[in-house]
Amino acid sequence: MLSKDQIAQRIAKEVKNGQYINLGIGIPTLVANYIPESLEVVLQSENGLLGIGPFPTEDQIDPDLINAGKQTVTMAKGSALFNSAESFAMIRGGHVHLTILGAMEVSENGDIANWKIPGKMVKGMGGAMDLVASADNIIVAMQHCSRDGESKLLKECSLPITGRRCVKKIVTDLAVIEIDPDGGFVLKERAPGVSVEEIKEKTAGKLIINGEVPEMAFD
Amino acid sequence: MINKTVKNAKEAVADIPSDCTVMMGGFGLSGIPENCISALLEKDITGLTIISNNAGVDNFGIGLLLQKKMVKKMVSSYVGENSEFERQLLEGELEVDLIPQGTLAERVRAGGAGIPAFFTPAGVGTEVADGKETREFDGKIYLMERWLRADFSIVKAWKGDTAGNLIFKGTARNFNPIMATAGKICIAEVEELVEAGQLNPNEIHTPGIYVQRIFQGENYEKRIEQRTVSK
């Protein structure tokens, strides 16, 4: 099974030249480390920065320059700063090409739940609902199963919903999956060393397998 | 030009009473009105409704107001960094309205801009939509949301002038410019206060019309939540 970094590495292969991208907190933030130098993309930070640069060195640290995860960052060349209403106008207005975020559960018709576990964890949804309601292309980074071994790819989400019918692609520690428009998890790739059988066992929702499923390639 | 200068935070917040609604700028701890928060802590008031994207951390920012039990209700989009907040929320000690960040931003913007309601796709099909009107436009469902306005809005800027014009720095900008417009009384604390005429009008982010009181703040800690350096 893949590590968090490897999930990020596989997702980075989905990035196309010239895209404006929003990366959620957690594994999605790691995707930035694996985008090939040859691709020109711009990372949007919901808190008002277009053009997130690399993490700063000690002497570059600026408390007035943070990303959505409240980490200190730098600005890329050609970046721009703006307020929160402007930021979400950019997001809601469909100007961000690709959104990558984490999930607790995804359903076989593309619903996503990632903001609340009632009675246990209520951190809030932040920008997630705006992002999933507006982006054309949404890729989810997640663990295939919970710590108790329960599948997180379900027929229907049991946790409070973040967005309906919005997820297009999922990369888990076991597989790359696309959501079938008519419902179902289409298995596209297996993690190295992981069998189709194992993925079948660990997917509670409808798993669709079309022919042979290749292993993920990490060049 | 009208002069809106007050002496300090204490003077700026002197008439903020119990049970009112206060907007506070900031994203995480970036761009929070540190001086006004300290001044509020000195006051003997309770029952505040605070509209702010986050709730600070346990022992800094809005977290301090929560610790002192001054807050009846929070309207925020993410409170994950504050475990005291999460505890008060789960135990029912604190009322919380968690709303999508973009919706929060737009509701505040609408409040200052005289737009009583608008439609957004964020939250459609989720519990955020409970009890609210939805409507279809061009084949897609949207959710109706209302404007947000406050008795007081407290913002933090980088530079300001005596006419109330404000310039922000970096990602400390975030909610501050919009909240400045949506409070009946807007209080602005700035790192550097200059005379009207010193700032280039081309560079002003928030025109002074929105600001009622301004003062030069001091001793900004600018605490960093996640100090992250490149390896």
Side-chain angles (χ1 to χ4, degrees), chain B residues 159-161 165-167 194-204:
Chain B
K159 295 185 189 176
D161 67 22
N165 295 305
L166 304 174
I167 298 180
V194 299
E195 290 294 313
Q198 297 294 304
L199 299 180
N200 183 339
N202 283 309
E203 292 170 12
I204 287 165

Side-chain angles (χ1 to χ4, degrees), chain B:
Chain B
M1 205 27 104
I2 309 166
N3 190 323
K4 301 169 179 194
T5 313
V6 296
K7 206 164 65 181
N8 51 30
K10 185 168 177 193
E11 197 177 303
V13 306
D15 60 349
I16 297 185
S18 291
D19 305 316
C20 68
T21 300
V22 182
M23 279 180 185
M24 281 193 189
F27 179 94
L29 299 178
S30 185
I32 61 169
E34 293 185 32
N35 286 195
C36 284
I37 290 172
S38 297
L40 281 172
L41 279 170
E42 305 280 303
K43 288 169 63 82
D44 195 17
I45 56 174
T46 55
L48 299 173
T49 293
I50 305 234
I51 302 172
S52 192
N53 189 55
N54 310 102
V57 294
D58 286 346
N59 58 3
F60 195 64
I62 292 172
L64 294 170
L65 301 171
L66 288 167
Q67 249 179 26
K68 210 187 152 202
K69 306 279 165 96
M70 295 171 71
V71 183
K72 180 182 84 169
K73 178 171 176 175
M74 284 293 304
V75 179
S76 306
S77 85
Y78 189 82
V79 298
E81 299 89 19
N82 191 328
S83 48
E84 167 63 9
F85 180 108
E86 220 184 329
R87 190 202 63 78
Q88 281 188 21
L89 162 56
L90 290 169
E91 307 267 330
E93 288 168 24
L94 179 66
E95 253 179 86
V96 183
D97 238 350
L98 284 171
I99 64 188
Q101 197 182 151
T103 299
L104 175 61
E106 189 61 16
R107 289 180 70 185
V108 170
R109 195 203 72 82
I115 304 277
F118 58 90
F119 286 85
T120 172
V124 169
T126 77
E127 60 186 62
V128 162
D130 288 353
K132 293 178 188 163
E133 184 184 331
T134 56
R135 207 184 286 189
E136 186 184 302
F137 294 96
D138 300 340
K140 186 169 167 179
I141 308 281
Y142 295 82
L143 185 59
M144 193 179 85
E145 295 280 4
R146 299 296 315 281
W147 58 13
L148 267 175
R149 296 174 298 177
D151 300 307
F152 295 88
S153 63
I154 307 180
V155 303
K156 158 80 190 329
W158 180 39
K159 295 185 189 176
D161 67 22
T162 52
N165 295 305
L166 304 174
I167 298 180
F168 303 91
K169 181 165 162 278
T171 53
R173 192 189 308 200
N174 58 72
F175 284 83
N176 287 298
I178 36 178
M179 287 183 170
T181 70
K184 208 153 175 202
I185 294 179
C186 170
I187 299 164
E189 57 178 86
V190 302
E191 292 177 45
E192 190 188 331
L193 182 64
V194 299
E195 290 294 313
Q198 297 294 304
L199 299 180
N200 183 339
N202 283 309
E203 292 170 12
I204 287 165
H205 298 143
T206 295
I209 194 168
Y210 297 114
V211 178
Q212 280 65 48
R213 300 173 195 166
I214 189 165
F215 66 92
Q216 174 150 321
E218 52 177 16
N219 301 327
Y220 285 103
E221 188 183 326
K222 292 197 185 181
R223 196 178 289 196
I224 293 171
E225 279 184 73
Q226 303 281 342
R227 190 181 200 84
T228 318
V229 288
S230 63
K231 286 163 201 150

